[in-house]
Amino acid sequence: MPTKICCIGAGYVGGPTMAVIARQCPDIEVRVVDINPERIAAWNHPDLDQLPIYEPGLAEVVSKARGRNLFFSTEVDQAITESDMIFIAVNTPTKTYGKGKGMAADLTYVEQCARRIAQVATSPKIVVEKSTLPVRTAEAIQTIFAQSGNGIAHEVLSNPEFLAEGTAIEDLFKSDRVLIGGDSTPSGTAAVESLASIYARWIPREKIVTTNIWSSELSKLVSNAFLAQRISSINSISALCEATGADVSEVARAVGKDSRIGPKFLKASVGFGGSCFQKDILNLVYLCRHYGLEEVADYWQGVIDINDYQKNRYAARIQKELFNTVNGKKIAFWGWAFKKDTNDTRESAAIYVADQLLNEGAEIVVYDPKVSLDRMKLDLQLLWESRGENNIEKRLESLKSTDTAQAACTKAHALAVITEWDAFTTQDFSAIYKQMEKPAFVFDGRKMLDQQQLRAIGFNSYEIGTPN
Ligand code: UDX
Ligand code: UDX
């Protein structure tokens, strides 16, 4: 059992995962290090509302362990030299340059971590890949250790994270499974056992699955691809429902009752977002093409294509219903985060829907309880810059935000529900109707509002996957 561990990368994965390990293992000293001093300062902030990540239950776990056996710092080298086990949880975004641009994972940060460990470690370490990585990345890390280090042999494990944002703490406490991939050599087996012994403090042994490293790396990509595939499957059917008069919720319920299929991840929506699904599938597609498996690559690419189709379809529906033009019209957005209970906006459908409507001349006023206007603007700016577009600052003037859901609707022509924050169901819709331009439209991208009630009030109301 290691007594000192550290994690490089204090993000959505590293922060919550290490906080839970520290909470469950008071005898293990856990350090979370990051090159970003502002992020570390936020993790150390006395006011727990200022933690850099919003995640239900996180503040409580941090408050229990921080300063006791959980430490946040920017001292990466010191953490490496003093720890027995080093987790790598740095971000692995889709490449924005060079070979594999827009498809492959950018491993720059992971490689930098490996090189740093090779340089500064003075004793053998167990290095744990927590970031989602292309298959055979562990091999690359091993090669770096073998060829650029100071002769010390480190063991590399793959231990992908399956937590979902918004329920990260709950997921970490009650994981369906913990996956550990390692070499079957004696030192590899010992390393796997060392990591397993940490999780075994609170996860039943039968849920700790061990595999070879590459199976573990691939399982993470495949898990996310399967989950995303279910959403794209039901979203594709939502279009058919709108055309035929069936209701996608009823279809999902009927289909999900088959125990071989199951009810989860069958909720039609404006499209999936988040840092993982798209990135991991693109990664899988890239990997398949690399091995010449064009049919397999095309199959998985279809999951992304349907997701893009769904986001476009939603934006186009708004425009169509608003008499084919949103130019000069005000659209209220409820939600900007990619799902409820997180402040993460990466790949959120909101960005793409806003992009389309802004391009058509709309003004957008957003209410999101956890996302700042600066973040929203940055999301659009990054998208537009990636496409080489210009006039960005001027165009961003048409994006605004408010402090309440109701205020966003003042003089709006339409309300678009993008994120499923619970509080959206309990708004005063009669009051909202009064303050909107008429005819007043609602486009429920999350199927969370009572359509009958909205229509009774006077709204022209639409939702994904339901005929009107
Ligand atoms: C994680 C995983 O690691 C990624 O592979 C997965 O697919 C998505 O979730 P996440 O924790 O969400 O990434 O990323 P992020 O919140 O961006 O945090 C990464 C942190 O690593 C950042 O705070 C960044 O400053 C830090 N970092 C990055 C380093 O400390 N060193 C580096 O060299 C690079
Ligand atoms: C996902 C995986 O669930 C998790 O196991 C992995 O470790 C990281 O990627 P995350 O992206 O945080 O987690 O959230 P998730 O709950 O999977 O939702 C992803 C997106 O799918 C969200 O935009 C969500 O709104 C959407 N979604 C989810 C649907 O549209 N319909 C559904 O039925 C479920």
Side-chain angles (χ1 to χ4, degrees), residues 161-166 177 220 224 227 231 234-235 264-277 338-340 420 446:
E161 190 49 74
F162 294 107
L163 63 80
E165 289 173 31
R177 79 324 208 161
K220 172 62 192 256
N224 277 344
L227 290 168
I231 303 169
I234 200 70
N235 280 344
K264 293 182 183 163
F265 268 70
L266 284 181
K267 180 106 203 248
S269 68
V270 54
F272 62 74
S275 72
C276 288
F277 283 176
F338 82 97
K339 62 188 279 197
K340 72 172 180 177
E420 75 285 20
R446 291 293 184 166

PDB file of all heavy atoms in Angstrom, residues 161-166 177 220 224 227 231 234-235 264-277 338-340 420 446, ligand 2:
ATOM      1  N   GLU A 161     -10.895   6.792 -15.783  1.00  0.00           N
ATOM      2  CA  GLU A 161     -11.929   7.320 -14.898  1.00  0.00           C
ATOM      3  C   GLU A 161     -13.298   7.184 -15.550  1.00  0.00           C
ATOM      4  O   GLU A 161     -13.452   7.511 -16.717  1.00  0.00           O
ATOM      5  CB  GLU A 161     -11.617   8.809 -14.648  1.00  0.00           C
ATOM      6  CG  GLU A 161     -12.444   9.406 -13.577  1.00  0.00           C
ATOM      7  CD  GLU A 161     -12.427   8.534 -12.344  1.00  0.00           C
ATOM      8  OE1 GLU A 161     -11.415   8.514 -11.653  1.00  0.00           O
ATOM      9  OE2 GLU A 161     -13.443   7.847 -12.084  1.00  0.00           O
ATOM     10  N   PHE A 162     -14.276   6.724 -14.795  1.00  0.00           N
ATOM     11  CA  PHE A 162     -15.627   6.588 -15.359  1.00  0.00           C
ATOM     12  C   PHE A 162     -16.613   7.559 -14.723  1.00  0.00           C
ATOM     13  O   PHE A 162     -17.814   7.449 -14.929  1.00  0.00           O
ATOM     14  CB  PHE A 162     -16.129   5.155 -15.209  1.00  0.00           C
ATOM     15  CG  PHE A 162     -15.337   4.171 -16.023  1.00  0.00           C
ATOM     16  CD1 PHE A 162     -14.451   3.289 -15.427  1.00  0.00           C
ATOM     17  CD2 PHE A 162     -15.447   4.164 -17.411  1.00  0.00           C
ATOM     18  CE1 PHE A 162     -13.708   2.397 -16.189  1.00  0.00           C
ATOM     19  CE2 PHE A 162     -14.708   3.272 -18.181  1.00  0.00           C
ATOM     20  CZ  PHE A 162     -13.841   2.385 -17.576  1.00  0.00           C
ATOM     21  N   LEU A 163     -16.123   8.496 -13.909  1.00  0.00           N
ATOM     22  CA  LEU A 163     -17.075   9.409 -13.255  1.00  0.00           C
ATOM     23  C   LEU A 163     -17.717  10.314 -14.296  1.00  0.00           C
ATOM     24  O   LEU A 163     -17.127  10.659 -15.309  1.00  0.00           O
ATOM     25  CB  LEU A 163     -16.380  10.234 -12.176  1.00  0.00           C
ATOM     26  CG  LEU A 163     -15.252  11.196 -12.567  1.00  0.00           C
ATOM     27  CD1 LEU A 163     -15.780  12.506 -13.125  1.00  0.00           C
ATOM     28  CD2 LEU A 163     -14.402  11.467 -11.349  1.00  0.00           C
ATOM     29  N   ALA A 164     -18.965  10.655 -14.032  1.00  0.00           N
ATOM     30  CA  ALA A 164     -19.657  11.621 -14.887  1.00  0.00           C
ATOM     31  C   ALA A 164     -19.745  12.927 -14.110  1.00  0.00           C
ATOM     32  O   ALA A 164     -19.972  12.919 -12.889  1.00  0.00           O
ATOM     33  CB  ALA A 164     -21.049  11.116 -15.242  1.00  0.00           C
ATOM     34  N   GLU A 165     -19.546  14.032 -14.781  1.00  0.00           N
ATOM     35  CA  GLU A 165     -19.621  15.322 -14.094  1.00  0.00           C
ATOM     36  C   GLU A 165     -21.048  15.552 -13.593  1.00  0.00           C
ATOM     37  O   GLU A 165     -22.006  15.099 -14.203  1.00  0.00           O
ATOM     38  CB  GLU A 165     -19.160  16.426 -15.033  1.00  0.00           C
ATOM     39  CG  GLU A 165     -17.666  16.332 -15.254  1.00  0.00           C
ATOM     40  CD  GLU A 165     -17.156  17.299 -16.302  1.00  0.00           C
ATOM     41  OE1 GLU A 165     -17.736  18.385 -16.447  1.00  0.00           O
ATOM     42  OE2 GLU A 165     -16.181  16.957 -16.981  1.00  0.00           O
ATOM     43  N   GLY A 166     -21.131  16.250 -12.486  1.00  0.00           N
ATOM     44  CA  GLY A 166     -22.448  16.490 -11.890  1.00  0.00           C
ATOM     45  C   GLY A 166     -22.797  15.411 -10.871  1.00  0.00           C
ATOM     46  O   GLY A 166     -23.551  15.647  -9.937  1.00  0.00           O
ATOM     47  N   ARG A 177     -17.633  -0.079 -11.496  1.00  0.00           N
ATOM     48  CA  ARG A 177     -16.400  -0.859 -11.541  1.00  0.00           C
ATOM     49  C   ARG A 177     -15.204   0.087 -11.521  1.00  0.00           C
ATOM     50  O   ARG A 177     -15.319   1.267 -11.878  1.00  0.00           O
ATOM     51  CB  ARG A 177     -16.329  -1.787 -12.732  1.00  0.00           C
ATOM     52  CG  ARG A 177     -15.963  -1.321 -14.138  1.00  0.00           C
ATOM     53  CD  ARG A 177     -16.376  -0.036 -14.632  1.00  0.00           C
ATOM     54  NE  ARG A 177     -16.537   0.037 -16.075  1.00  0.00           N
ATOM     55  CZ  ARG A 177     -17.239   0.996 -16.651  1.00  0.00           C
ATOM     56  NH1 ARG A 177     -17.838   1.924 -15.918  1.00  0.00           N
ATOM     57  NH2 ARG A 177     -17.334   1.058 -17.945  1.00  0.00           N
ATOM     58  N   LYS A 220     -11.984   2.289 -21.984  1.00  0.00           N
ATOM     59  CA  LYS A 220     -12.472   3.634 -21.675  1.00  0.00           C
ATOM     60  C   LYS A 220     -13.074   4.281 -22.916  1.00  0.00           C
ATOM     61  O   LYS A 220     -14.181   4.835 -22.874  1.00  0.00           O
ATOM     62  CB  LYS A 220     -11.332   4.485 -21.106  1.00  0.00           C
ATOM     63  CG  LYS A 220     -11.661   5.947 -20.914  1.00  0.00           C
ATOM     64  CD  LYS A 220     -12.797   6.151 -19.908  1.00  0.00           C
ATOM     65  CE  LYS A 220     -13.325   7.561 -19.930  1.00  0.00           C
ATOM     66  NZ  LYS A 220     -12.932   8.392 -18.873  1.00  0.00           N
ATOM     67  N   ASN A 224     -17.282   5.073 -23.444  1.00  0.00           N
ATOM     68  CA  ASN A 224     -17.844   6.371 -23.820  1.00  0.00           C
ATOM     69  C   ASN A 224     -18.514   6.305 -25.187  1.00  0.00           C
ATOM     70  O   ASN A 224     -19.566   6.914 -25.398  1.00  0.00           O
ATOM     71  CB  ASN A 224     -16.767   7.460 -23.791  1.00  0.00           C
ATOM     72  CG  ASN A 224     -16.559   7.990 -22.375  1.00  0.00           C
ATOM     73  OD1 ASN A 224     -17.403   7.772 -21.502  1.00  0.00           O
ATOM     74  ND2 ASN A 224     -15.462   8.668 -22.138  1.00  0.00           N
ATOM     75  N   LEU A 227     -21.948   4.689 -24.719  1.00  0.00           N
ATOM     76  CA  LEU A 227     -22.904   5.598 -24.069  1.00  0.00           C
ATOM     77  C   LEU A 227     -23.386   6.657 -25.058  1.00  0.00           C
ATOM     78  O   LEU A 227     -24.582   6.920 -25.177  1.00  0.00           O
ATOM     79  CB  LEU A 227     -22.257   6.275 -22.850  1.00  0.00           C
ATOM     80  CG  LEU A 227     -21.988   5.366 -21.650  1.00  0.00           C
ATOM     81  CD1 LEU A 227     -21.096   6.076 -20.629  1.00  0.00           C
ATOM     82  CD2 LEU A 227     -23.303   4.943 -20.996  1.00  0.00           C
ATOM     83  N   ILE A 231     -27.253   7.689 -27.040  1.00  0.00           N
ATOM     84  CA  ILE A 231     -27.890   9.012 -27.151  1.00  0.00           C
ATOM     85  C   ILE A 231     -28.124   9.348 -28.626  1.00  0.00           C
ATOM     86  O   ILE A 231     -29.204   9.815 -28.999  1.00  0.00           O
ATOM     87  CB  ILE A 231     -27.029  10.092 -26.469  1.00  0.00           C
ATOM     88  CG1 ILE A 231     -26.788   9.726 -25.001  1.00  0.00           C
ATOM     89  CG2 ILE A 231     -27.711  11.452 -26.556  1.00  0.00           C
ATOM     90  CD1 ILE A 231     -25.751  10.587 -24.323  1.00  0.00           C
ATOM     91  N   ILE A 234     -31.135   7.334 -29.906  1.00  0.00           N
ATOM     92  CA  ILE A 234     -32.461   7.849 -29.534  1.00  0.00           C
ATOM     93  C   ILE A 234     -32.688   9.223 -30.179  1.00  0.00           C
ATOM     94  O   ILE A 234     -33.808   9.543 -30.571  1.00  0.00           O
ATOM     95  CB  ILE A 234     -32.657   7.863 -27.988  1.00  0.00           C
ATOM     96  CG1 ILE A 234     -34.145   7.907 -27.638  1.00  0.00           C
ATOM     97  CG2 ILE A 234     -31.931   9.007 -27.317  1.00  0.00           C
ATOM     98  CD1 ILE A 234     -34.910   6.647 -27.934  1.00  0.00           C
ATOM     99  N   ASN A 235     -31.636  10.011 -30.310  1.00  0.00           N
ATOM    100  CA  ASN A 235     -31.805  11.320 -30.960  1.00  0.00           C
ATOM    101  C   ASN A 235     -32.178  11.161 -32.435  1.00  0.00           C
ATOM    102  O   ASN A 235     -32.968  11.946 -32.970  1.00  0.00           O
ATOM    103  CB  ASN A 235     -30.545  12.175 -30.804  1.00  0.00           C
ATOM    104  CG  ASN A 235     -30.473  12.832 -29.433  1.00  0.00           C
ATOM    105  OD1 ASN A 235     -31.476  12.898 -28.707  1.00  0.00           O
ATOM    106  ND2 ASN A 235     -29.307  13.342 -29.063  1.00  0.00           N
ATOM    107  N   LYS A 264     -31.386   3.327 -19.186  1.00  0.00           N
ATOM    108  CA  LYS A 264     -30.519   4.500 -19.015  1.00  0.00           C
ATOM    109  C   LYS A 264     -29.946   5.021 -20.334  1.00  0.00           C
ATOM    110  O   LYS A 264     -29.785   4.270 -21.284  1.00  0.00           O
ATOM    111  CB  LYS A 264     -29.387   4.167 -18.062  1.00  0.00           C
ATOM    112  CG  LYS A 264     -29.885   3.916 -16.659  1.00  0.00           C
ATOM    113  CD  LYS A 264     -28.756   3.629 -15.714  1.00  0.00           C
ATOM    114  CE  LYS A 264     -29.315   3.316 -14.322  1.00  0.00           C
ATOM    115  NZ  LYS A 264     -28.325   2.665 -13.495  1.00  0.00           N
ATOM    116  N   PHE A 265     -29.627   6.306 -20.333  1.00  0.00           N
ATOM    117  CA  PHE A 265     -29.005   6.947 -21.509  1.00  0.00           C
ATOM    118  C   PHE A 265     -29.866   6.825 -22.763  1.00  0.00           C
ATOM    119  O   PHE A 265     -29.371   6.629 -23.862  1.00  0.00           O
ATOM    120  CB  PHE A 265     -27.586   6.397 -21.742  1.00  0.00           C
ATOM    121  CG  PHE A 265     -26.570   7.245 -21.032  1.00  0.00           C
ATOM    122  CD1 PHE A 265     -26.496   7.241 -19.657  1.00  0.00           C
ATOM    123  CD2 PHE A 265     -25.732   8.093 -21.739  1.00  0.00           C
ATOM    124  CE1 PHE A 265     -25.605   8.058 -18.987  1.00  0.00           C
ATOM    125  CE2 PHE A 265     -24.837   8.913 -21.081  1.00  0.00           C
ATOM    126  CZ  PHE A 265     -24.776   8.884 -19.695  1.00  0.00           C
ATOM    127  N   LEU A 266     -31.160   6.941 -22.557  1.00  0.00           N
ATOM    128  CA  LEU A 266     -32.080   6.929 -23.699  1.00  0.00           C
ATOM    129  C   LEU A 266     -32.898   8.211 -23.713  1.00  0.00           C
ATOM    130  O   LEU A 266     -34.002   8.244 -24.222  1.00  0.00           O
ATOM    131  CB  LEU A 266     -33.012   5.717 -23.614  1.00  0.00           C
ATOM    132  CG  LEU A 266     -32.405   4.371 -23.978  1.00  0.00           C
ATOM    133  CD1 LEU A 266     -33.443   3.258 -23.883  1.00  0.00           C
ATOM    134  CD2 LEU A 266     -31.802   4.398 -25.389  1.00  0.00           C
ATOM    135  N   LYS A 267     -32.360   9.257 -23.116  1.00  0.00           N
ATOM    136  CA  LYS A 267     -33.105  10.512 -23.052  1.00  0.00           C
ATOM    137  C   LYS A 267     -32.730  11.355 -24.269  1.00  0.00           C
ATOM    138  O   LYS A 267     -31.582  11.795 -24.405  1.00  0.00           O
ATOM    139  CB  LYS A 267     -32.740  11.210 -21.737  1.00  0.00           C
ATOM    140  CG  LYS A 267     -33.421  12.517 -21.504  1.00  0.00           C
ATOM    141  CD  LYS A 267     -34.511  12.396 -20.459  1.00  0.00           C
ATOM    142  CE  LYS A 267     -35.529  13.495 -20.621  1.00  0.00           C
ATOM    143  NZ  LYS A 267     -35.651  14.471 -19.692  1.00  0.00           N
ATOM    144  N   ALA A 268     -33.719  11.575 -25.133  1.00  0.00           N
ATOM    145  CA  ALA A 268     -33.450  12.424 -26.300  1.00  0.00           C
ATOM    146  C   ALA A 268     -33.144  13.836 -25.824  1.00  0.00           C
ATOM    147  O   ALA A 268     -33.686  14.299 -24.817  1.00  0.00           O
ATOM    148  CB  ALA A 268     -34.658  12.420 -27.224  1.00  0.00           C
ATOM    149  N   SER A 269     -32.282  14.522 -26.526  1.00  0.00           N
ATOM    150  CA  SER A 269     -31.863  15.852 -26.083  1.00  0.00           C
ATOM    151  C   SER A 269     -31.431  16.681 -27.273  1.00  0.00           C
ATOM    152  O   SER A 269     -31.443  16.214 -28.414  1.00  0.00           O
ATOM    153  CB  SER A 269     -30.684  15.731 -25.098  1.00  0.00           C
ATOM    154  OG  SER A 269     -29.545  15.251 -25.796  1.00  0.00           O
ATOM    155  N   VAL A 270     -31.003  17.897 -26.960  1.00  0.00           N
ATOM    156  CA  VAL A 270     -30.493  18.794 -27.993  1.00  0.00           C
ATOM    157  C   VAL A 270     -29.134  18.311 -28.528  1.00  0.00           C
ATOM    158  O   VAL A 270     -28.599  18.841 -29.495  1.00  0.00           O
ATOM    159  CB  VAL A 270     -30.453  20.233 -27.429  1.00  0.00           C
ATOM    160  CG1 VAL A 270     -29.664  20.287 -26.131  1.00  0.00           C
ATOM    161  CG2 VAL A 270     -29.903  21.238 -28.391  1.00  0.00           C
ATOM    162  N   GLY A 271     -28.614  17.255 -27.927  1.00  0.00           N
ATOM    163  CA  GLY A 271     -27.322  16.704 -28.363  1.00  0.00           C
ATOM    164  C   GLY A 271     -26.381  16.579 -27.182  1.00  0.00           C
ATOM    165  O   GLY A 271     -26.427  17.387 -26.268  1.00  0.00           O
ATOM    166  N   PHE A 272     -25.551  15.558 -27.204  1.00  0.00           N
ATOM    167  CA  PHE A 272     -24.631  15.386 -26.065  1.00  0.00           C
ATOM    168  C   PHE A 272     -23.454  16.346 -26.187  1.00  0.00           C
ATOM    169  O   PHE A 272     -23.068  16.758 -27.279  1.00  0.00           O
ATOM    170  CB  PHE A 272     -24.159  13.932 -25.921  1.00  0.00           C
ATOM    171  CG  PHE A 272     -23.379  13.374 -27.086  1.00  0.00           C
ATOM    172  CD1 PHE A 272     -22.057  13.753 -27.328  1.00  0.00           C
ATOM    173  CD2 PHE A 272     -23.957  12.429 -27.930  1.00  0.00           C
ATOM    174  CE1 PHE A 272     -21.343  13.210 -28.391  1.00  0.00           C
ATOM    175  CE2 PHE A 272     -23.238  11.884 -28.997  1.00  0.00           C
ATOM    176  CZ  PHE A 272     -21.934  12.284 -29.232  1.00  0.00           C
ATOM    177  N   GLY A 273     -22.924  16.710 -25.019  1.00  0.00           N
ATOM    178  CA  GLY A 273     -21.723  17.538 -24.971  1.00  0.00           C
ATOM    179  C   GLY A 273     -20.776  16.938 -23.960  1.00  0.00           C
ATOM    180  O   GLY A 273     -20.865  15.762 -23.625  1.00  0.00           O
ATOM    181  N   GLY A 274     -19.864  17.778 -23.438  1.00  0.00           N
ATOM    182  CA  GLY A 274     -18.918  17.282 -22.442  1.00  0.00           C
ATOM    183  C   GLY A 274     -17.556  17.069 -23.049  1.00  0.00           C
ATOM    184  O   GLY A 274     -17.398  17.011 -24.273  1.00  0.00           O
ATOM    185  N   SER A 275     -16.580  16.954 -22.170  1.00  0.00           N
ATOM    186  CA  SER A 275     -15.199  16.899 -22.638  1.00  0.00           C
ATOM    187  C   SER A 275     -14.848  15.542 -23.227  1.00  0.00           C
ATOM    188  O   SER A 275     -13.814  15.373 -23.848  1.00  0.00           O
ATOM    189  CB  SER A 275     -14.251  17.211 -21.488  1.00  0.00           C
ATOM    190  OG  SER A 275     -14.223  16.121 -20.596  1.00  0.00           O
ATOM    191  N   CYS A 276     -15.703  14.530 -22.995  1.00  0.00           N
ATOM    192  CA  CYS A 276     -15.268  13.171 -23.312  1.00  0.00           C
ATOM    193  C   CYS A 276     -15.859  12.554 -24.563  1.00  0.00           C
ATOM    194  O   CYS A 276     -15.120  12.020 -25.392  1.00  0.00           O
ATOM    195  CB  CYS A 276     -15.559  12.261 -22.128  1.00  0.00           C
ATOM    196  SG  CYS A 276     -14.449  12.569 -20.765  1.00  0.00           S
ATOM    197  N   PHE A 277     -17.183  12.580 -24.692  1.00  0.00           N
ATOM    198  CA  PHE A 277     -17.810  11.745 -25.721  1.00  0.00           C
ATOM    199  C   PHE A 277     -17.239  12.010 -27.114  1.00  0.00           C
ATOM    200  O   PHE A 277     -16.764  11.109 -27.788  1.00  0.00           O
ATOM    201  CB  PHE A 277     -19.331  11.934 -25.725  1.00  0.00           C
ATOM    202  CG  PHE A 277     -20.029  11.203 -24.600  1.00  0.00           C
ATOM    203  CD1 PHE A 277     -21.396  11.332 -24.416  1.00  0.00           C
ATOM    204  CD2 PHE A 277     -19.326  10.380 -23.737  1.00  0.00           C
ATOM    205  CE1 PHE A 277     -22.039  10.658 -23.383  1.00  0.00           C
ATOM    206  CE2 PHE A 277     -19.962   9.704 -22.707  1.00  0.00           C
ATOM    207  CZ  PHE A 277     -21.331   9.847 -22.534  1.00  0.00           C
ATOM    208  N   PHE A 338     -22.900  21.813 -20.219  1.00  0.00           N
ATOM    209  CA  PHE A 338     -23.246  20.686 -21.104  1.00  0.00           C
ATOM    210  C   PHE A 338     -24.241  19.724 -20.472  1.00  0.00           C
ATOM    211  O   PHE A 338     -24.833  18.893 -21.149  1.00  0.00           O
ATOM    212  CB  PHE A 338     -21.981  19.964 -21.590  1.00  0.00           C
ATOM    213  CG  PHE A 338     -21.400  18.971 -20.621  1.00  0.00           C
ATOM    214  CD1 PHE A 338     -21.690  17.618 -20.733  1.00  0.00           C
ATOM    215  CD2 PHE A 338     -20.543  19.371 -19.606  1.00  0.00           C
ATOM    216  CE1 PHE A 338     -21.143  16.678 -19.861  1.00  0.00           C
ATOM    217  CE2 PHE A 338     -19.996  18.447 -18.720  1.00  0.00           C
ATOM    218  CZ  PHE A 338     -20.302  17.102 -18.849  1.00  0.00           C
ATOM    219  N   LYS A 339     -24.438  19.840 -19.167  1.00  0.00           N
ATOM    220  CA  LYS A 339     -25.473  19.093 -18.454  1.00  0.00           C
ATOM    221  C   LYS A 339     -25.692  19.807 -17.130  1.00  0.00           C
ATOM    222  O   LYS A 339     -24.937  20.731 -16.799  1.00  0.00           O
ATOM    223  CB  LYS A 339     -25.064  17.635 -18.232  1.00  0.00           C
ATOM    224  CG  LYS A 339     -23.809  17.487 -17.373  1.00  0.00           C
ATOM    225  CD  LYS A 339     -23.298  16.054 -17.318  1.00  0.00           C
ATOM    226  CE  LYS A 339     -24.047  15.214 -16.334  1.00  0.00           C
ATOM    227  NZ  LYS A 339     -23.316  13.970 -15.974  1.00  0.00           N
ATOM    228  N   LYS A 340     -26.687  19.379 -16.366  1.00  0.00           N
ATOM    229  CA  LYS A 340     -26.943  20.068 -15.098  1.00  0.00           C
ATOM    230  C   LYS A 340     -25.876  19.718 -14.043  1.00  0.00           C
ATOM    231  O   LYS A 340     -25.147  18.739 -14.189  1.00  0.00           O
ATOM    232  CB  LYS A 340     -28.331  19.710 -14.563  1.00  0.00           C
ATOM    233  CG  LYS A 340     -28.449  18.296 -14.024  1.00  0.00           C
ATOM    234  CD  LYS A 340     -29.801  18.093 -13.348  1.00  0.00           C
ATOM    235  CE  LYS A 340     -29.935  16.679 -12.811  1.00  0.00           C
ATOM    236  NZ  LYS A 340     -31.188  16.431 -12.094  1.00  0.00           N
ATOM    237  N   GLU A 420     -30.538  20.898 -18.487  1.00  0.00           N
ATOM    238  CA  GLU A 420     -31.682  20.436 -17.694  1.00  0.00           C
ATOM    239  C   GLU A 420     -31.572  20.788 -16.200  1.00  0.00           C
ATOM    240  O   GLU A 420     -31.861  19.969 -15.344  1.00  0.00           O
ATOM    241  CB  GLU A 420     -31.897  18.928 -17.917  1.00  0.00           C
ATOM    242  CG  GLU A 420     -30.918  17.981 -17.225  1.00  0.00           C
ATOM    243  CD  GLU A 420     -29.532  17.902 -17.850  1.00  0.00           C
ATOM    244  OE1 GLU A 420     -29.122  18.814 -18.589  1.00  0.00           O
ATOM    245  OE2 GLU A 420     -28.828  16.909 -17.558  1.00  0.00           O
ATOM    246  N   ARG A 446     -34.699  19.674 -23.717  1.00  0.00           N
ATOM    247  CA  ARG A 446     -34.422  18.663 -22.688  1.00  0.00           C
ATOM    248  C   ARG A 446     -35.660  17.891 -22.268  1.00  0.00           C
ATOM    249  O   ARG A 446     -35.601  17.105 -21.323  1.00  0.00           O
ATOM    250  CB  ARG A 446     -33.786  19.340 -21.462  1.00  0.00           C
ATOM    251  CG  ARG A 446     -32.383  19.848 -21.718  1.00  0.00           C
ATOM    252  CD  ARG A 446     -31.426  18.693 -21.959  1.00  0.00           C
ATOM    253  NE  ARG A 446     -30.072  19.168 -22.115  1.00  0.00           N
ATOM    254  CZ  ARG A 446     -29.010  18.371 -22.059  1.00  0.00           C
ATOM    255  NH1 ARG A 446     -29.145  17.080 -21.843  1.00  0.00           N
ATOM    256  NH2 ARG A 446     -27.804  18.859 -22.238  1.00  0.00           N
TER     257      ARG A 446
HETATM  258  C1  UDX B   2     -19.212  10.729 -19.512  1.00  0.00           C
HETATM  259  C2  UDX B   2     -19.395   9.286 -19.020  1.00  0.00           C
HETATM  260  O1  UDX B   2     -20.748   9.106 -18.566  1.00  0.00           O
HETATM  261  C3  UDX B   2     -18.414   8.987 -17.931  1.00  0.00           C
HETATM  262  O2  UDX B   2     -18.512   7.618 -17.547  1.00  0.00           O
HETATM  263  C4  UDX B   2     -17.010   9.264 -18.433  1.00  0.00           C
HETATM  264  O3  UDX B   2     -16.056   9.044 -17.430  1.00  0.00           O
HETATM  265  C5  UDX B   2     -16.895  10.702 -18.917  1.00  0.00           C
HETATM  266  O4  UDX B   2     -17.880  10.939 -19.920  1.00  0.00           O
HETATM  267  P1  UDX B   2     -19.956  13.126 -18.659  1.00  0.00           P
HETATM  268  O5  UDX B   2     -19.589  13.562 -20.034  1.00  0.00           O
HETATM  269  O6  UDX B   2     -19.404  13.843 -17.490  1.00  0.00           O
HETATM  270  O7  UDX B   2     -19.567  11.595 -18.444  1.00  0.00           O
HETATM  271  O8  UDX B   2     -21.561  13.169 -18.518  1.00  0.00           O
HETATM  272  P2  UDX B   2     -22.751  12.238 -19.030  1.00  0.00           P
HETATM  273  O9  UDX B   2     -23.710  12.125 -17.930  1.00  0.00           O
HETATM  274  O10 UDX B   2     -22.278  10.990 -19.636  1.00  0.00           O
HETATM  275  O11 UDX B   2     -23.452  13.156 -20.144  1.00  0.00           O
HETATM  276  C6  UDX B   2     -22.831  13.459 -21.376  1.00  0.00           C
HETATM  277  C7  UDX B   2     -23.781  14.215 -22.268  1.00  0.00           C
HETATM  278  O12 UDX B   2     -24.836  13.382 -22.721  1.00  0.00           O
HETATM  279  C8  UDX B   2     -24.458  15.414 -21.616  1.00  0.00           C
HETATM  280  O13 UDX B   2     -24.505  16.487 -22.506  1.00  0.00           O
HETATM  281  C9  UDX B   2     -25.837  14.894 -21.313  1.00  0.00           C
HETATM  282  O14 UDX B   2     -26.789  15.914 -21.223  1.00  0.00           O
HETATM  283  C10 UDX B   2     -26.083  13.999 -22.504  1.00  0.00           C
HETATM  284  N1  UDX B   2     -27.100  12.948 -22.289  1.00  0.00           N
HETATM  285  C11 UDX B   2     -26.893  11.985 -21.342  1.00  0.00           C
HETATM  286  C12 UDX B   2     -28.245  12.907 -23.087  1.00  0.00           C
HETATM  287  O15 UDX B   2     -28.436  13.761 -23.948  1.00  0.00           O
HETATM  288  N2  UDX B   2     -29.156  11.899 -22.894  1.00  0.00           N
HETATM  289  C13 UDX B   2     -28.975  10.923 -21.964  1.00  0.00           C
HETATM  290  O16 UDX B   2     -29.836  10.035 -21.858  1.00  0.00           O
HETATM  291  C14 UDX B   2     -27.803  10.976 -21.158  1.00  0.00           C
END
